[in-house]
Amino acid sequence: MKVKKLLALVLSALIAVTMLAACGGGGGGGNSGGGGSVSVISLDYGEINKILKAEGYNKTVSASSNLLTGVKEAAAMLSKHNFNEVTSSDLSSSVATMAKSHMTTSGPVGFAKNRVEVLGGRYNEAVASIASSYMSQGLDATYTAAAVEFTSADGVKCYLYVVHAAYN
């Protein structure tokens, strides 16, 4: 169990570092106005919940079409920016607001945005890591998640993972 908690901590740290490091992708600042397509990532909620159970959490994560709508809108907004802007904290409040815009319940939203190569397609682990960071705080909440892939204005393929903790 300690190994799985360590793995969750390492994945959380990796996500946090990639958000702050703006790890390449070429291009400087400036909004080029382009933007790429947004595609939904099919998450395996059974696998996510299996990871969380192995870490000792009894809460589960499920899909939400409302959250997905907001996440797609946030990714569409991000796709109009260069990668360095996408990973900057300047757009974080906009992402959180847009992601929650279609939710009917209140509560915090956690998210990560990074390059496609960073997690090598380990979508479920990334979502479980974000969810476990909330669950470890003992929030009495219902958890939903959504994930999309998009291309930044300067052509860098990116992921946006979002977990919403709706207060019970």
Side-chain angles (χ1 to χ4, degrees):
M1 175 117 96
K2 286 186 180 195
V3 173
K4 292 184 183 196
K5 284 188 179 186
L6 180 61
L7 177 62
L9 180 63
V10 169
L11 283 172
S12 295
L14 178 63
I15 290 169
V17 168
T18 58
M19 283 175 53
L20 299 173
C23 52
N31 183 341
S32 69
S37 63
V38 175
S39 58
V40 175
I41 294 172
S42 180
L43 295 171
D44 182 345
Y45 292 95
E47 179 65 24
I48 292 167
N49 293 323
K50 182 178 168 185
I51 293 167
L52 292 169
K53 185 174 182 175
E55 291 177 11
Y57 299 108
N58 61 359
K59 297 275 186 177
T60 60
V61 176
S62 61
S64 165
S65 59
N66 289 342
L67 181 61
L68 181 58
T69 299
V71 171
K72 289 193 296 190
E73 289 174 4
M77 179 271 298
L78 289 172
S79 73
K80 293 177 173 59
H81 295 273
N82 289 330
F83 180 72
N84 289 340
E85 295 170 316
V86 166
T87 57
S88 78
S89 59
D90 297 342
L91 295 173
S92 293
S93 64
S94 296
V95 170
T97 300
M98 292 178 96
K100 294 192 319 185
S101 65
H102 296 277
M103 299 302 290
T104 58
T105 55
S106 64
V109 62
F111 61 90
K113 46 192 176 173
N114 56 31
R115 289 178 71 131
V116 166
E117 300 87 18
V118 172
L119 291 172
R122 294 171 38 190
Y123 322 118
N124 300 319
E125 290 91 340
V127 169
S129 178
I130 297 167
S132 69
S133 69
Y134 280 119
M135 291 177 185
S136 69
Q137 298 172 31
L139 295 179
D140 182 23
T142 302
Y143 298 89
T144 55
V148 295
E149 182 179 310
F150 66 96
T151 304
S152 64
D154 55 348
V156 178
K157 287 203 173 277
C158 303
Y159 292 141
L160 176 60
Y161 309 100
V162 178
V163 175
H164 181 252
Y167 296 129
N168 291 327

